[in-house]
Amino acid sequence: MAIIFAVGNCCGTVSPPVLTGALFGGIFYAPILGVVNAASMLGNMMGPLVVSAMYDHLGSYRMAWQLCAALSVAALVCVVAASKNICRIDA
């Protein structure tokens, strides 16, 4: 359980800067990371609102968990696809 918690805990804090550097290189790191963090904060802001609305409407968190799992898989697919097609710009 501690390992799962550790991996899940670092996904929101460690992964965005590491993936940004690995996928895009260092020359435009700061502006790209700013966009990534803005998108992440939008998800952090909207996630609880969507989940609570789903709970209020459905009476259960089951569908919300399924949606979160599906979105996580979709995000993983996007990262893998991006890592194959990226054009790194390093100075």
Side-chain angles (χ1 to χ4, degrees):
M1 185 68 175
I3 292 173
I4 293 171
F5 177 78
V7 170
N9 194 29
C10 77
C11 285
T13 56
V14 176
S15 296
V18 171
L19 287 174
T20 301
L23 293 175
F24 297 103
I27 194 164
F28 294 112
Y29 176 79
I32 294 171
L33 183 62
V35 171
V36 168
N37 280 338
S40 177
M41 290 302 117
L42 181 64
N44 288 340
M45 179 185 69
M46 294 303 297
L49 298 174
V50 170
V51 168
S52 63
M54 290 177 71
Y55 178 80
D56 289 343
H57 182 69
L58 301 171
S60 171
Y61 286 109
R62 182 180 180 94
M63 186 64 74
W65 282 112
Q66 291 171 347
L67 177 64
C68 289
L71 291 174
S72 295
V73 170
L76 178 63
V77 169
C78 289
V79 168
V80 170
S83 67
K84 292 181 180 179
N85 298 321
I86 200 70
C87 178
R88 286 178 54 109
I89 301 173
D90 286 323

